[in-house]
Amino acid sequence: MITNRPTRSILLLLMLTILVFMVNVFFGSVNIPVKEVLMSLTGQEVEQESWNYIIQNYRLPKAVTAVLVGSGLGVSGLLMQTLFRNPLAGPFVLGISSGASLGVATLVMGSALMGGVLGGLGDSKWGIIIASSLGSFLVLLAVLAVSIRVRDTMAILIIGLMFASLTSAIVGILSFFTSAEQLQQYIFWGFGSLGNLSWNEVFILGIVFFLGIAFSIFSLKALNSLLLGEHYAKSMGLNINKSRILIILATSLLAGGITAFAGPIAFIGLAIPHIARQIMNSGNHSTLMPAVIFIGAIVMLICDSIAQLPTTDYTLPINAVTAIFGAPVVIWLLVRKKNMIF
Amino acid sequence: MQKSTIIPTLNVSDLSIGFMSKQSSNILFNDISFKLNKAELVGIIGPNGIGKSTLIRTLSGVQSHLAGSIEIKQKNLKQFNPLELASELSVVLTEALATRTLSVFEIVALGRQPYTNWIGQLSSLDLNIIEKAMAITQIDDLKYRKSFELSDGQMQRVMIARALAQDTDLIILDEPTTHLDLNHKARTLSLLKKLCKEEGKSILFSTHEIELAIQLCDKLVVMLAEKVYFDSPDKLISSGVFSKMFPSETIEFDTQMGSFRIKK
């Protein structure tokens, strides 16, 4: 039966996700014997207490974060590509990451200019998370307020891009007047990071993630009919405006939440849906979405493993790794198939 | 006669079509009236730029009308919500699909969307209707092909199958014969004729294939600059409507043959 083929691929992807997750937890900067990692995971006594701490409070939350980030960004990229019928769209076309950048830049670099109240917040993690969420939310709100006045979906795309330029200009001005130290802090935030989260923060990110995924699953039917174009979708009884709001809401939750906790992680959201389409050889969202969820997790876990540079003391910025290792993969896939599937 | 008791599938009266903006309304055409009964095939013909597409878009609810009324089974088009309308009217448009990766089966299956649950799951009834739609349009053997592998003629039949799967009494098609060679034009129009006769569908389509339309359609809507004519093809021929269609110095209409000639 042909209908079984996608199910089998998805099961395979699920198993691969588990495997890559294990590899990610087993290997890191500190060399911990495989047996000891297993002991720690199963809750048994470990030879060195510091190993147990590293696994329980650093590697595990980091691996879970990687899964949430990869899956979430992949799904929101898929939603945006379908909504805008544009293979170049990603999770951030609605200005979410530029909004987050503006929020964080205002907090980190603006604190020096304004001094006082904001000054203390700049160093705290929650300060960054709140500033990032607030920035994303405000810019998204502005984009939506403008786009309610236009009925054209493509106009929303362009308005989102315009707001991104606008905010990056403001960030540019802020950086011009700031000190080198604060500029560095802002740039470090821009590299993205998976390993900064405590279990509590992972838990909150998880709630936001599952909400976003739930909204996405409720949009599945609408997404499939949008593949035929808005006129066809409407002729098949779809309430375009309602579906558009649901899709944008799902994307905002996923991309906004992830950016707040892990920084602006580029590339993944754009590339994962393309990899999924090539592997599944399908445009049907009912098979694409689970594939995107697992492939997103797999790619993010692999990128994180590479970024940790196992057995060395160095950690590469995750944002650089995703693009350096991901871009050639996408190029290779496209060249091999000689046909861009969208 | 029982004629007065027949409920027309589509009843258009005194319709004005065009574009409306806040500042002004640009009326393309006034006083369009025609009826489409069960099992009738009606073509809309007229020179380029006269407003055929606008009429099709207005009738299918993409664009709102400026005056007059459109009734589907005696209910005003404005009173339908999108889902109700989707079970009465299906469309085949000229726009290219945004995706190229859906299989033929998946595209036809999308026609069942008005009837499926929140996640779009297909029941065995849905599957039966999809299979039947693919059988009538003779695309069974293309079932698992991707849409980018299809020719224009095949694609047109797939989109007609999708409209059939939507299971509506009324189907409206916007220029279903463009980009097709003569053989596929004839095949597409014969298919539409068959759907009317065998499935009892009411089908309205716009076309530039006037000669084929004269041969196949039960009635024609002829849009000319001064007014809209609506009648059966032979009556339209005898009243000389076709001779007025194009400038007489370039093209003349042969009423015996029912075809156009280029003046030499």
Side-chain angles (χ1 to χ4, degrees), chain B:
Chain B
M1 288 289 281
Q2 57 176 163
K3 198 160 190 176
S4 57
T5 60
I6 295 175
I7 297 172
T9 317
L10 177 69
N11 189 359
V12 176
S13 45
D14 304 323
L15 187 71
S16 294
I17 57 169
F19 299 91
M20 198 162 38
S21 64
K22 275 177 196 158
Q23 291 81 24
S24 64
S25 61
N26 177 16
I27 294 177
L28 277 178
F29 229 104
N30 274 318
D31 300 324
I32 304 172
S33 298
F34 63 90
K35 275 189 186 127
L36 186 55
N37 292 323
K38 191 174 165 63
E40 270 186 352
L41 179 65
V42 174
I44 302 175
I45 55 181
N48 272 336
I50 197 84
K52 292 194 297 294
S53 287
T54 309
L55 178 57
I56 291 276
R57 287 157 60 90
T58 308
L59 293 176
S60 53
V62 172
Q63 199 171 324
S64 53
H65 55 276
L66 307 179
S69 79
I70 304 169
E71 286 176 355
I72 295 177
K73 292 184 187 164
Q74 293 187 318
K75 185 175 170 184
N76 198 304
L77 187 68
K78 284 176 178 167
Q79 286 165 351
F80 283 94
N81 71 38
L83 209 56
E84 286 168 351
L85 188 62
S87 61
E88 294 292 347
L89 163 69
S90 56
V91 294
V92 176
L93 305 169
T94 42
E95 62 190 65
L97 299 189
T99 175
R100 305 192 297 155
T101 46
L102 285 183
S103 68
V104 167
F105 176 83
E106 284 169 328
I107 294 176
V108 179
L110 281 175
R112 297 305 299 164
Q113 280 226 342
Y115 312 100
T116 54
N117 63 4
W118 66 275
I119 205 162
Q121 195 182 25
L122 298 170
S123 67
S124 56
L125 173 73
D126 292 324
L127 290 172
N128 277 340
I129 293 172
I130 295 164
E131 293 293 337
K132 197 178 151 216
M134 291 196 296
I136 298 172
T137 49
Q138 298 175 331
I139 52 169
D140 330 54
D141 52 329
L142 305 173
K143 192 172 175 183
Y144 298 115
R145 288 275 193 92
K146 298 283 170 191
S147 54
F148 68 87
E149 298 168 317
L150 302 178
S151 71
D152 287 340
Q154 289 169 330
M155 195 62 215
Q156 197 56 261
R157 275 186 286 150
V158 171
M159 295 318 287
I160 292 173
R162 191 212 60 81
L164 276 181
Q166 205 173 322
D167 198 20
T168 58
D169 289 336
L170 176 60
I171 303 177
I172 295 181
L173 305 95
D174 191 8
E175 304 206 7
T177 51
T178 18
H179 305 308
L180 304 183
D181 64 25
L182 190 58
N183 172 32
H184 284 94
K185 278 175 184 168
R187 275 184 75 177
T188 304
L189 294 183
S190 309
L191 172 63
L192 296 182
K193 185 75 183 171
K194 188 172 99 175
L195 294 177
C196 292
K197 288 286 153 281
E198 291 173 14
E199 306 291 320
K201 303 281 182 194
S202 307
I203 297 181
L204 180 72
F205 69 101
S206 62
T207 186
H208 285 289
E209 305 311 313
I210 301 168
E211 293 166 15
L212 294 177
I214 287 173
Q215 293 173 50
L216 278 174
C217 291
D218 298 303
K219 284 173 188 155
L220 287 174
V221 178
V222 184
M223 296 175 82
L224 294 183
E226 79 278 9
K227 71 174 279 201
V228 173
Y229 297 87
F230 173 63
D231 218 324
S232 59
D234 47 343
K235 285 194 184 137
L236 288 169
I237 291 175
S238 54
S239 62
V241 168
F242 295 107
S243 315
K244 293 187 229 164
M245 198 155 190
F246 299 110
S248 55
E249 60 268 26
T250 50
I251 287 171
E252 64 179 358
F253 187 73
D254 183 334
T255 48
Q256 298 297 312
M257 303 292 292
S259 64
F260 289 95
R261 291 253 166 85
I262 297 175
K263 270 200 177 162
K264 285 172 190 154

Side-chain angles (χ1 to χ4, degrees), chain A residues 266-284:
Chain A
F267 183 78
I268 291 287
L270 173 69
I272 298 297
H274 289 296
I275 299 177
R277 281 190 202 95
Q278 299 284 357
I279 289 178
M280 303 303 289
N281 195 22
S282 170
N284 187 343

